[in-house]
Amino acid sequence: MGSHRDSLPTPATQAGRDGLDAILERPGRAVLAFDFDGTLAPIVPDPDQARAHPDAVPALAALAPKVASVAVVTGRPAGVAVRHGGFAGVPGLDRLVVLGHYGAERWDARTGTVHAPAPHPGVAAVRAELPGLLDRIGAWHGTWIEEKGRSVAVHTRRAEDPSAAFEALRRPLADLAARHGLIVEPGRMVLELRPPGMDKGVALREYVREIGAGAVLYAGDDLGDLSAFAAVDKLRSDGVPGLLVCSGSEEVAELAERADLVVDGPEGVVRLLRALARRLP
């Protein structure tokens, strides 16, 4: 028997309550979508060490057979998210889809394969120039580069003054990205240089349309999730009920303010998944 901490919370907004009601009433038409880092996985100083919350995959596996689809929408390469999440070969998750690199890559649990277009040539050019750029502006002790295949990210979380390093790098990195046809996606103490045209909102909207969903839940924790929140807002205006969940973070107040429901990080997301699974037939 679950404790009161595991009961299904009530969204703070009417739109959120309508979205939750639609999921509960017609789960077979619902798409449940989640960011990875900070939502299904705790934030850690080194992204290579990020792993899904130990209870996240069992909770997803209990819930997934009861809904139309479960999707993970992430800026990470799809294959990396699958490995770090432990999503492959899990009973109950045979319909899971991972939309990686903001939707540019897709992994389907049914086939276990990743489909992706050719990389943008600007990423290789930026990758070559970044070390010299960081040296010229003072190297920012503790700042480091993450290779992501179809994008490259500069992290400041381990710098002596993470916020100061983040702000000092915004303009030079934006200029570098623009020279090579890329954009900069800011996050929690990270600046990612990536191709334009895809974001989590585009990825989510296209997937919801593909599935023909009658309701959608999206949970995220960072600035990159704002586009997915906007996509759910647009879907709601088009008659598709939706629920916006913020995986609570004091670092990104803007997302919490936009959410229908704020939960306590990945642990809170897991409790929400468990509560939904218990409520659904």
Side-chain angles (χ1 to χ4, degrees), residues 31 60 145:
V31 168
L60 285 171
I145 298 168

Side-chain angles (χ1 to χ4, degrees), residues 68-159:
S69 181
V70 170
V72 176
V73 187
T74 176
R76 284 183 180 268
V80 172
V82 171
R83 290 194 301 276
H84 288 198
F87 299 133
V90 177
L93 288 185
D94 56 300
R95 288 182 291 172
L96 177 74
V97 169
V98 176
L99 304 175
H101 272 306
Y102 306 93
E105 295 183 346
R106 175 168 169 164
W107 176 87
D108 286 273
R110 288 181 191 270
T111 62
T113 57
V114 174
H115 297 278
H120 189 291
V123 175
V126 159
R127 186 179 294 119
E129 290 187 36
L130 256 180
L133 175 74
L134 295 179
D135 283 341
R136 287 196 301 278
I137 60 177
W140 291 100
H141 179 67
T143 295
W144 61 285
I145 298 168
E146 180 190 6
E147 302 288 354
K148 299 180 72 172
R150 294 176 183 275
S151 65
V152 59
V154 179
H155 291 261
T156 68
R157 188 174 292 276
R158 298 196 303 224

Side-chain angles (χ1 to χ4, degrees), residues 159-227:
E160 292 175 358
D161 188 336
S163 295
F166 182 90
E167 290 304 325
L169 288 169
R170 289 184 78 130
R171 174 54 58 189
L173 292 185
D175 291 344
L176 174 64
R179 288 202 306 274
H180 296 290
L182 305 181
I183 61 170
V184 173
E185 178 86 43
R188 292 165 69 178
M189 299 303 135
V190 60
L191 294 156
E192 182 173 353
L193 292 79
R194 65 177 182 83
M198 284 302 294
D199 59 35
K200 291 181 180 181
V202 173
L204 179 62
R205 193 163 57 248
E206 290 183 353
Y207 188 65
V208 166
R209 187 180 303 122
E210 174 189 330
I211 296 296
V216 60
L217 175 152
Y218 184 81
D221 76 306
D222 206 346
L223 293 171
D225 296 303
L226 286 170
S227 62

Side-chain angles (χ1 to χ4, degrees), residues 21-71:
D21 287 346
I23 293 167
L24 295 174
E25 291 167 8
R26 300 180 296 279
R29 294 197 62 208
V31 168
L32 309 184
F34 305 87
D35 168 50
F36 184 71
D37 293 279
T39 302
L40 294 177
I43 292 289
V44 293
D46 181 356
D48 285 340
Q49 301 304 313
R51 297 294 183 271
H53 185 288
D55 296 325
V57 170
L60 285 171
L63 182 57
K66 302 182 177 189
V67 298
S69 181
V70 170

